[in-house]
Amino acid sequence: MTASRFLDGFTLRDETVNGVRLHFASAGEGRPVLLLHGHPQSHVVWRKVAPALVKAGYSVVASDLRGYGDSEKVESHAPHLPYSKREMAKDQVALMQALGHERFAVVGHDRGGRVAHRMALDHPEAVDRLVVLDIAPTLTMYEQTNQEFATCYFWWFFLIQPEDLPERMIGQDPEYFLRRHIGGQVKTPGAVTEEVMAEYLRTYRDPATIHAICEDYRAASKIDLQHDRADQDRRIEAPVLAIWGDKGVVGDLYDVEQTWRDKARTVRGVALACGHAIPEEAPDALLAEVIPFLAS
């Protein structure tokens, strides 16, 4: 174990579960909370949030999803099953069980929120509370796609192109792609420092990471939609808190709270004054909503 450079008081570890090596940061004692990042970040996205949750009395695990950060890049090609949200959810449930947490809360941002959504459906015995950040359900977003969404979220349609077109194009200049992607979504100046950008870029430059990310999105457009359609009549049993940035795309295009009311039994929705990168742009406002929700 080594100390995290970015999450104050956290240690970094690796654990092999569900056949994949996961990299994660952990700290604290008390009720367990799992934090799941999105694209193109890693667990470092929680650096402004995770230490405060520990101070609030929680045992916190911030994990790199398979394929992201320093977690293992699992080999995957069509039909993209290794990067289905079902498999990615199994990873994280198995990790929490390996750490002694049979039941826990999950806070998922972006891709992590999609993994958390599937986790809540497939593992209701494990998920105690669910917080989803700046997403509407995947099936809803694809089925309601229009020109505005396709323009603003072009990577949803670029990254799913057949192997290895997006991999080669991003691989020509991954730093440019990463900076343009993050810069387009963050609406709060200074929210992502150069040190943090360099950390994201460290792992994003790896061709295996780029391929894994494409497989994640390809799975979302294919096998994940099959799973979601099969479960259209099921509802998340755990209470859900849906939070979105009022300067972002998701809140403009969707009634976010209603999209989750269509998927869960108990939902509360809140908009925060920020863009897409809520944990980095509005950590204090996020904590002010999440901590009471976790304690309720």
Side-chain angles (χ1 to χ4, degrees):
M1 293 189 295
T2 58
S4 170
R5 287 196 302 123
F6 294 97
L7 277 64
D8 187 37
F10 279 67
T11 56
L12 299 174
R13 296 171 53 187
D14 289 328
E15 189 81 29
T16 298
V17 293
N18 193 36
V20 60
R21 179 187 53 77
L22 298 180
H23 183 72
F24 63 96
S26 61
E29 297 180 357
R31 291 172 59 190
V33 180
L34 173 63
L35 305 179
L36 298 177
H37 66 87
H39 167 260
Q41 293 88 1
S42 66
H43 76 274
V44 174
V45 80
W46 302 107
R47 64 196 178 279
K48 303 176 185 179
V49 173
L53 289 175
V54 171
K55 289 180 181 178
Y58 292 93
S59 177
V60 180
V61 178
S63 175
D64 288 348
L65 298 169
R66 67 162 63 188
Y68 287 83
D70 287 307
S71 284
E72 184 177 352
K73 282 66 180 166
V74 179
E75 183 176 356
S76 177
H77 308 281
H80 322 296
L81 287 171
Y83 285 91
S84 69
K85 303 310 156 293
R86 175 158 283 161
E87 282 303 313
M88 296 172 84
K90 283 181 185 177
D91 294 347
Q92 302 300 328
V93 171
L95 174 63
M96 293 299 277
Q97 290 174 342
L99 298 176
H101 306 311
E102 295 294 330
R103 190 163 172 80
F104 49 89
V106 188
V107 183
H109 176 240
D110 189 76
R111 312 307 292 175
R114 303 188 190 286
V115 174
H117 179 194
R118 174 47 57 186
M119 186 186 303
L121 288 174
D122 287 358
H123 307 274
E125 74 290 346
V127 177
D128 176 61
R129 298 275 191 281
L130 174 61
V131 183
V132 289
L133 302 183
D134 212 57
I135 62 168
T138 305
L139 180 61
T140 302
M141 293 178 75
Y142 268 120
E143 289 186 339
Q144 296 183 19
T145 291
N146 57 21
Q147 183 177 350
E148 184 177 5
F149 173 69
T151 302
C152 293
Y153 268 39
F154 73 91
W155 57 91
W156 271 46
F157 307 93
F158 169 54
L159 297 176
I160 68 175
Q161 295 305 307
E163 186 181 349
D164 60 351
L165 175 64
E167 286 95 334
R168 282 182 176 267
M169 295 180 72
I170 295 170
Q172 293 300 307
D173 196 345
E175 180 171 358
Y176 177 82
F177 187 84
L178 181 75
R179 287 183 180 274
R180 282 295 299 264
H181 187 90
I182 291 177
Q185 292 194 313
V186 173
K187 307 302 181 184
T188 306
V192 181
T193 66
E194 272 301 311
E195 182 184 21
V196 171
M197 186 70 77
E199 171 61 13
Y200 292 152
L201 185 58
R202 178 182 66 82
T203 55
Y204 202 83
R205 279 196 177 102
D206 183 353
T209 299
I210 296 171
H211 175 63
I213 288 167
C214 292
E215 287 295 289
D216 170 17
Y217 278 84
R218 288 173 183 134
S221 71
K222 294 181 174 64
I223 188 65
D224 290 344
L225 295 184
Q226 294 176 28
H227 293 159
D228 288 347
R229 289 188 175 107
D231 286 337
Q232 281 195 96
D233 294 332
R234 295 180 59 199
R235 294 293 178 268
I236 298 168
E237 299 294 335
V240 175
L241 174 61
I243 300 177
W244 62 96
D246 67 4
K247 299 177 184 178
V249 173
V250 173
D252 282 345
L253 297 184
Y254 306 95
D255 181 340
V256 181
E257 185 172 0
Q258 184 57 52
T259 67
W260 289 103
R261 289 191 182 281
D262 293 340
K263 303 297 181 182
R265 300 195 185 281
T266 306
V267 179
R268 186 169 73 86
V270 180
L272 301 182
C274 63
H276 175 68
I278 296 172
E280 298 180 296
E281 296 185 64
D284 292 340
L286 175 60
L287 287 161
E289 297 294 339
V290 168
I291 290 176
F293 176 73
L294 296 178
S296 64

